Amino acid sequence: MTDAIENKSQQRPETAFRVFLDDWRRHRPSGIRVMWALSVYRFGRFAAKRQVWLFRKVLGFIYTTIQPTSALLGGLYLERSTKVGEEPHFMHGGNIQINPGSVIGNRVGIMHGVTLGTGPHRENQQRITPVIGDDCFLGCNCSILGGVTIGDRSVVSANSLVISDVPPDSVAIGVPAKVVPKTLFGATK
């Protein structure tokens, strides 16, 4: 798998403009608000990675100035310290709250009203924010709280509250969410 990633980077360098175009193709035409918030997030990540102290401070100041406005106008609260994988898809911007400590995998679809945040955690638990695996889908108004892990290719249905881990290839439904294998819904592996 690492060879495939290395070959991809050799074939097509990921420039900021190319990433912006990919985001635009994925979110148009209804995602203009989300595009604004996602662009500000990417700018913040760019600013934080600058080696020269003065550039990092100036760009960081610009980011901290425009980020609250982008969260308000874009309907997506996404701090630059959040780890987001490749090709995220925020389907409908509106009240999407993502805790800065959360980790979002590759090709994750997130609907409006989703909350990824801290929540009830046990004493021996190291992490207090969610980790979302690759190729997952988070339905409208679902909340994923605490140090839970959503496994790869899993679905969290609309209006669900997830406070425990969801294994790969599963569907989480309800309040609190109960896990059901995807095979019960006719999906194939």
Side-chain angles (χ1 to χ4, degrees), residues 116-132:
L116 303 180
T118 60
H121 55 277
R122 300 169 225 33
E123 290 180 27
N124 61 352
Q125 199 171 18
Q126 298 282 330
R127 190 177 24 77
I128 60 169
T129 55
V131 173
I132 311 300

Side-chain angles (χ1 to χ4, degrees), residues 41-106:
Y41 163 78
R42 294 201 189 282
F43 174 77
R45 297 287 288 187
F46 170 80
K49 291 180 182 178
R50 296 306 92 203
Q51 298 295 322
V52 178
W53 177 84
L54 182 61
F55 288 152
R56 189 171 57 247
K57 289 298 179 187
V58 170
L59 294 175
F61 175 76
I62 294 169
Y63 167 77
T64 56
T65 303
I66 61 176
Q67 197 278 333
T69 305
S70 77
L72 182 65
L73 297 177
L76 169 62
Y77 182 81
L78 185 62
E79 283 280 340
R80 68 180 173 182
S81 59
T82 307
K83 292 181 178 79
V84 178
E86 295 179 5
E87 302 178 25
H89 191 181
F90 300 97
M91 282 142 208
H92 301 284
N95 199 26
I96 299 173
Q97 304 291 322
I98 300 175
N99 186 288
S102 300
V103 177
I104 300 173
N106 298 325

Side-chain angles (χ1 to χ4, degrees), residues 23-32 34-35 38 88-90:
D23 286 342
W24 174 254
R25 286 185 193 109
R26 197 169 26 265
H27 292 97
R28 73 168 185 219
S30 63
I32 300 298
V34 171
M35 276 301 301
L38 197 53
H89 191 181
F90 300 97

